[in-house]
C-alpha cells in the first residue's frame, strides 16, 4: 500500500523487471554495461590525474590526500 502511494508521487516510472520481457532485459543489460564503463573511465581518469599531480607537477596535491601521521 505504501509503495502505491510513493509511485503516485513519483516524477517518473520504472517498469517492473520481468525476466520474460526480452526487450526490457536487453535495455537493462545495455544500461548496466554503459554505467559500468563510465564508472571505470572516471576511476581511471581520477587515478591518472592523481599520478600526474604527484609525479609530473609535484604540487603536493597527492601528498595532501594522504592521512596526516601526526593526527593518527
Amino acid at each position: 500500500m505504501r509503495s502505491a502511494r510513493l509511485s503516485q508521487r513519483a516524477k517518473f516510472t520504472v517498469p517492473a523487471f520481468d525476466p520474460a520481457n526480452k526487450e526490457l532485459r536487453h535495455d537493462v543489460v545495455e544500461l548496466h554495461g554503459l554505467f559500468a564503463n563510465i564508472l571505470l573511465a572516471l576511476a581511471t581518469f581520477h587515478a591518472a590525474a592523481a599520478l600526474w599531480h604527484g609525479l609530473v607537477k609535484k604540487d603536493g596535491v597527492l601528498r595532501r590526500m594522504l592521512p596526516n601521521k601526526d593526527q593518527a
Side-chain angles (χ1 to χ4, degrees):
M1 178 112 172
R2 181 179 172 166
S3 62
R5 284 183 281 162
L6 289 175
S7 65
Q8 290 173 354
R9 292 185 290 183
K11 302 285 184 202
F12 61 91
T13 59
V14 177
F17 187 75
D18 178 17
N21 185 343
K22 290 182 181 184
E23 184 178 339
L24 177 60
R25 184 174 58 208
H26 178 266
D27 291 345
V28 169
V29 168
E30 289 289 320
L31 282 174
H32 185 268
L34 175 66
F35 290 144
N37 287 333
I38 289 171
L39 183 60
L40 285 171
L42 286 172
T44 302
F45 177 75
H46 186 267
L51 289 172
W52 182 72
H53 275 280
L55 301 174
V56 176
K57 284 189 78 173
K58 299 180 184 179
D59 57 3
V61 171
L62 189 58
R63 196 176 326 110
R64 288 194 308 258
M65 289 192 293
L66 297 175
N68 191 348
K69 292 180 183 179
D70 297 334
Q71 294 177 352

